[in-house]
Amino acid sequence: SPCRRRFVTRESRSLLSRYFLSRCFSTAIFSHNDCITHNDQIMHPECAQRMIESISALKSCRELDGKVTFHQAPIVEDEAILRVHPLSHLQYLEALVEKAKVGNTTQSIDDDTSVTK
């Protein structure tokens, strides 16, 4: 399983710090605690464990102090989603969320993206 191996090694932490240090800009990273509870049944590589380890590695890298800031992502309102997606897409996703909740199942959005309860 991709989520059972260690994602952030000493070498990758060094690559992350060199990447951010080579840029003249700062970077804001937004995440939400709900991302950690998402249990992707199809073993997508962007699993919760990878996110936890990556953020932890970035936070512990002293060379990045002041270059990377971390923020709690807000829950988005429908109006914001509708600025970039048609109403039919929002309704489709809402229906999948409801099916996942009611059936206590995972619903596929596409080949590698799923909705979980």
Side-chain angles (χ1 to χ4, degrees), residues 19-80:
Y19 171 80
F20 283 106
L21 288 172
S22 70
R23 306 299 187 262
C24 297
F25 53 86
S26 61
T27 300
I29 296 178
F30 289 83
S31 64
H32 193 278
N33 290 338
D34 285 352
C35 298
I36 296 169
T37 63
H38 178 68
N39 181 13
D40 198 336
Q41 300 297 317
I42 58 174
M43 302 311 292
H44 193 281
E46 297 300 329
C47 62
Q49 187 61 35
R50 184 174 183 187
M51 185 185 80
I52 292 166
E53 289 186 23
S54 297
I55 290 174
S56 177
L58 288 169
K59 285 182 175 180
S60 68
C61 187
R62 302 262 183 251
E63 294 91 1
L64 298 179
D65 285 349
K67 288 202 172 265
V68 179
T69 57
F70 298 88
H71 307 275
Q72 180 77 2
I75 300 297
V76 68
E77 298 294 328
D78 289 355
E79 294 78 28

